[in-house]
Amino acid sequence: MLDQIKAHLDRLRASGATYVDCRWVPSEDANALTMWNGNLKQAASSRQSGVGIRVLFQGAWGFSAASDLSDLGIVFDRALENARIAAERVTFPVRLAEKDSVQDTFISPCAVDPFEVPLAEKVAFLELLDASLNQRGVQQRMSTLDFIRKQVHFADSEGSEIGKQIIEVFAHIGVRGVDPEGTAHERTFRLGRRGATRGWESLDLDHFRENAERIVSELNQVLQAETCPVDDRSVILLPGIMFLQTHETIGHPLELDRILGYELAFAGGSFVTLQDFGELRYGSERLTARADATLPNSPGSFGYDDDGVPAEDNLLIDRGILVGAITGRQMVEEANAKAQRIIFPESSGANRATAFYRVPIERMTNINIDPGCDGTLDDIVARTERGIILDGDRSWSIGSNREQFHFACEIGWLVEDGRVIDVVKNATYKDDTLRFWNALSAVGDASTWEVVYVENCGKGQPNQVMQLGHGIPVCRFDDVRIGE
Amino acid sequence: MSDRFLETLSHLRVYALDKPCEIAIFYHEEASALMRFANSAVSLNTTEHLIRLEITAFYGPRRASYEMITDLSEPAELRDGIDIAAEMVKHVQPLTYTPTVPEFRESFCDEAAYDPALAELSGADKLAVFNAATTGLETEAIQLSGIFSNGANTIAQITTRSPHTQVFRTSDAQVTMVLAHSNKKWEVQAEQSAQQLLDLDPQALREELGFLVERFTHDPAQQLPLGRYDIVFGPAATATLISFMNWIAVNGGMMKRGYACLDEAQIGEQVLSPEFTLADDPNRRETYPQRRDYMGLPRTPFPFFEEGIFKGFAWTQDDADEFGAEPTGHTVAHKSLSLSGGGEDVGTLRALAFVPRDGDLLYIPFLHYMNVVNPTQSLVTGSSRFGALLLKRDGSIVTPYNVRLTQRILDIFGDRLAWLSQQTVPYNTSSSYGARNPTAVIVPRFMRVNDLSISHSNPTF
Ligand SMILES: [Zn+2]
């Protein structure tokens, strides 16, 4: 198969294509199990295989994909034909940043392949999770396990050949209850990074049981709580909402394709402009953020992106100043040309496709915030006059240029004079993105830093779901409107 | 139509009959094409041909499924899929109820919503539509983005219960055009949903884009003061709100799982405005309807609200099995939601802009990134996007920066609903995650809702 692919790469180059690549996925397996109130509502497995071909012709992209590999030549020809039509309307001919030709393989860290674990064992594990949630005050209990195993062979007309085998494990538990006014509330826990591998071995029942106890107890506190007041307070974000704040208002606005207008028809643009790199004060001095695809053991670390560029640890915001973006080979060339200066010396290796039948686009890797010097969560609370601690992502809604946002949380704890006083329900907060990050007044130390896995970041047309990570500390932001 | 896939399904059924469990086979074939525009160029031109086979095994109260994206020329691999599903079902935990196995009493084939001319529209044809709709509107600063997605979907089903099959075939297209000013950052949009080639109307797109570009080029821009406004929503915004109703209001399973704003006691009650009549109407071809559900139940118009009175929940077979309800023919990938038009004769944006008015009207065509803040309270939040206009009482027009609304849907469609246009349009709500599933909602061209508050107002575009 690889020989056939290479012959077609050469053939299309000879037909006038300036660049061709092929991602052949011999198999991508998934296994999704959902238990709801003791019922195994979903026991689903899937397998997909196919090829995706990307062709650059006279500065325009064509793409074609098929699951039927009986005539590979047709799939290559269709991609070239699509590029020829696209070449009729070109305004900025696509160029690709230089990269080295690579022959390598990447295997994600895994001790026990979850696809080798018998289904009955997985179901038994879910039953134990469900039992741990079956407690007073809980009306609905949910447990999910999601496993992915994909094999990808990448080859391009510049001589790169890269093989990847990636295994992902995602797990989630949640409980719902109803307060005396009849309003439903939810408390959830998702498995983050633990240890050096993320195979079946990362599902530690004791860890889930501890968190089940905690979320059930917190749900019961919320059910009895007063409603979050409308107020301006310091908000202290725990990892269960801090990851999403980082994702939506640092990650997405710093995708270079968004900044260059490639997502304007759907996902939106970015308030960031090319002039801002090196100048914009994105946040306070305490904020240092990075796209780190070298972070060990995370879905945002994948060896090489789908341009064949190696993983990088790339600074995005340096002590508050915007310095970098999430980039691929095409966009860095266009950005540098449009800015008439070298902002991005090379691709940062963040161009990824969700499946063989989608085209790679700029995706988050691990968008992390460096731990700070403001101590533990207790230290931060002790130094907060009027605040609220928030956790859990209940809803998120962000402006189309990521310039403002509204988040609802599962739980809030009011803080007065350095002490936690009350739990509140229906906690929300909203702000302008830049004002908010510039109001960052405390960043927790390494004891507060966690890596949260995200299994379902959506982007692009056609839509693509991507897996990634966020390493984030507890952070405090001042004078934020809550309760609206 | 090629019968190859039906033959394959029949052979697979015969193979499945030897298994101790029952098997349902769901075939999905998509031919998808998408031309994407950005910065006035074609940024991507794709075609995908994908065949999915989902095999569900039933064994009393046990159920498991296996899906493949595959190739019909590999019969051994397809049979493996049946083996895998049949093996999985042995090891799953029994449900607390017995799921119903689909059973087709006769073969059924519906190709009424299939137009090969639309499904097979070439890249060159799509480019021509975009060029016609934007003639004279693009400049160095005003640049075109958008998508033209078109394709065909074939769904076929067979089960071990009978040799009969169900086949559904549709063609669809979604056109979104955005003109955005690269420095000033305003953006305007025009969209169309098509089921057949004749539904495409580049001139109408040109007319709407031209009107909006004129406004955003010449009328003053403004940050709106926070406060309460009478708002006219366009089709995209109304369709988004209706889609949220479908999710958190009329879905029986969601109600039983504590994620809904209506309950069973409200059936028969006046819960929304008398202007509000919403049905699932599979007779509307523009919605890519399925006139049988995946259990074989005939689908006929199903009222959710009649003049504001709540008529009942939609029950999929699985939710009905679990909660002891009667299935309502809603075991489908998408409904055919249709919100009836009202009494106001306003069919175009130009007509809306120049209609006499008693106060300022804020026109919001599109709600970006809406999410549910609190399902029980029907509280949602989202921001305006794509060409909002403040139609001033004195007849002048201001182009406002984007604003955020955080509101209860039951208020929007309840006391606050002032009027709906007589004219209705299909709005394409297809998501392109996973398998192609063309979906459109029929909505009035405009909907006026009074006294809604804006909770955030941007200081620039
Ligand atoms: Zn995302």
Side-chain angles (χ1 to χ4, degrees), chain A residues 39 41 43 45-47 63 67 82 89 91 176 184 264 266 270 358 395-397 403-404 430 463, chain B residues 39-40 42 45 65 67 69-70 96-97 138 185 257 318 322 369 371 376 383 385 404 432 455 458:
Chain A
N39 270 313
K41 295 294 288 185
S45 290
S46 66
R47 167 165 283 207
F63 179 77
S67 53
N82 287 343
R89 212 187 209 271
T91 47
R176 276 185 196 159
L264 270 190
F266 178 60
S270 174
R358 291 288 184 258
S395 94
W396 51 98
S397 174
E403 74 287 0
Q404 48 91 9
K430 71 182 184 74
N463 301 134
Chain B
N39 300 317
S40 285
V42 177
N45 191 22
S65 69
E67 188 191 271
I69 293 186
T70 186
T96 54
Y97 58 94
E138 289 169 273
K185 289 224 168 190
R257 293 186 184 91
D318 187 49
E322 179 173 357
Y369 216 132
N371 210 332
T376 318
S383 301
R385 195 178 171 196
R404 175 175 291 284
S432 47
S455 60
N458 280 0

Side-chain angles (χ1 to χ4, degrees), chain A residues 247-248 252 364 457-458:
Chain A
H247 182 94
E248 303 291 4
H252 281 303
M364 287 178 226
C457 171

Side-chain angles (χ1 to χ4, degrees), chain A residues 7-242:
Chain A
H8 287 297
L9 293 176
D10 292 342
R11 180 171 67 79
L12 262 63
R13 281 282 281 134
S15 309
T18 47
Y19 171 83
V20 191
D21 67 27
C22 172
R23 274 172 302 117
W24 168 42
V25 175
S27 69
E28 175 169 345
D29 297 310
N31 181 202
L33 301 166
T34 303
M35 188 164 284
W36 197 294
N37 277 0
N39 270 313
L40 186 64
K41 295 294 288 185
Q42 186 189 26
S45 290
S46 66
R47 167 165 283 207
Q48 60 187 41
S49 56
V51 292
I53 316 293
R54 200 166 57 141
V55 177
L56 195 54
F57 177 82
Q58 291 182 359
W61 283 119
F63 179 77
S64 171
S67 53
D68 182 343
L69 303 185
S70 53
D71 192 342
L72 200 54
I74 288 181
V75 193
F76 275 88
D77 292 344
R78 214 176 279 141
L80 177 60
E81 180 55 25
N82 287 343
R84 281 186 207 278
I85 292 162
E88 288 175 26
R89 212 187 209 271
V90 169
T91 47
F92 186 93
V94 173
R95 298 197 309 251
L96 299 176
E98 295 291 318
K99 66 156 186 175
D100 294 330
S101 158
V102 174
Q103 291 76 39
D104 200 4
T105 53
F106 172 82
I107 297 173
S108 68
C110 173
V112 181
D113 180 345
F115 290 84
E116 301 301 323
V117 175
L119 179 59
E121 197 172 323
K122 294 173 181 166
V123 173
F125 188 83
L126 268 181
E127 285 174 332
L128 293 170
L129 294 186
D130 182 70
S132 71
L133 300 171
N134 197 0
Q135 299 187 47
R136 184 186 61 84
V138 174
Q139 295 197 352
Q140 307 283 332
R141 39 189 213 277
M142 305 83 83
S143 314
T144 64
L145 297 176
D146 284 283
F147 307 102
I148 301 170
R149 180 178 64 188
K150 55 176 136 186
Q151 238 187 308
V152 184
H153 294 284
F154 171 89
D156 70 14
S157 57
E158 297 175 359
S160 287
E161 279 177 49
I162 298 165
K164 289 198 275 193
Q165 183 170 322
I166 292 178
I167 289 177
E168 304 291 358
V169 173
F170 298 103
H172 177 272
I173 52 175
V175 282
R176 276 185 196 159
V178 177
D179 70 16
E181 289 91 58
T183 299
H185 297 272
E186 189 166 304
R187 195 73 184 99
T188 57
F189 165 73
R190 73 178 74 208
L191 181 67
R193 185 177 72 159
R194 303 186 84 231
T197 61
R198 58 182 190 282
W200 174 255
E201 70 285 354
S202 59
L203 299 176
D204 168 5
L205 188 60
D206 289 339
H207 181 60
F208 277 95
R209 281 182 168 147
E210 274 166 35
N211 282 288
E213 281 301 319
R214 178 178 61 80
I215 63 173
V216 169
S217 154
E218 289 175 354
L219 175 73
N220 277 304
Q221 293 171 54
V222 167
L223 295 180
Q224 300 305 318
E226 296 292 317
T227 294
C228 177
V230 179
D231 201 355
D232 293 323
R233 281 180 175 250
S234 296
V235 297
I236 299 168
L237 303 187
L238 301 188
I241 184 69
M242 186 62 204

Side-chain angles (χ1 to χ4, degrees), chain A residues 244 247-248 252 255 363-364 402 454 456-459 468, chain B residues 369:
Chain A
L244 193 61
H247 182 94
E248 303 291 4
H252 281 303
E255 293 158 347
R363 300 308 302 245
M364 287 178 226
R402 302 275 151 170
V454 175
N456 56 357
C457 171
K459 185 184 171 186
L468 51 106
Chain B
Y369 216 132

Side-chain angles (χ1 to χ4, degrees), chain A residues 268 397-404, chain B residues 185 187 189 216 222 224 231-234 236-237 362-370 381-390 399-406 454-458 460-461:
Chain A
S397 174
I398 307 96
S400 58
N401 288 318
R402 302 275 151 170
E403 74 287 0
Q404 48 91 9
Chain B
K185 289 224 168 190
E187 45 183 15
Q189 187 199 45
F216 278 76
Q222 187 192 322
L224 293 181
I231 297 180
V232 174
F233 291 105
L362 176 58
Y363 168 63
I364 294 182
F366 189 99
L367 289 166
H368 177 82
Y369 216 132
M370 182 167 264
T381 189
S383 301
S384 64
R385 195 178 171 196
F386 292 132
L389 300 171
L390 183 66
T399 56
Y401 308 135
N402 286 331
V403 296
R404 175 175 291 284
L405 300 174
T406 305
I454 283 170
S455 60
H456 186 101
S457 180
N458 280 0
T460 60
F461 276 121

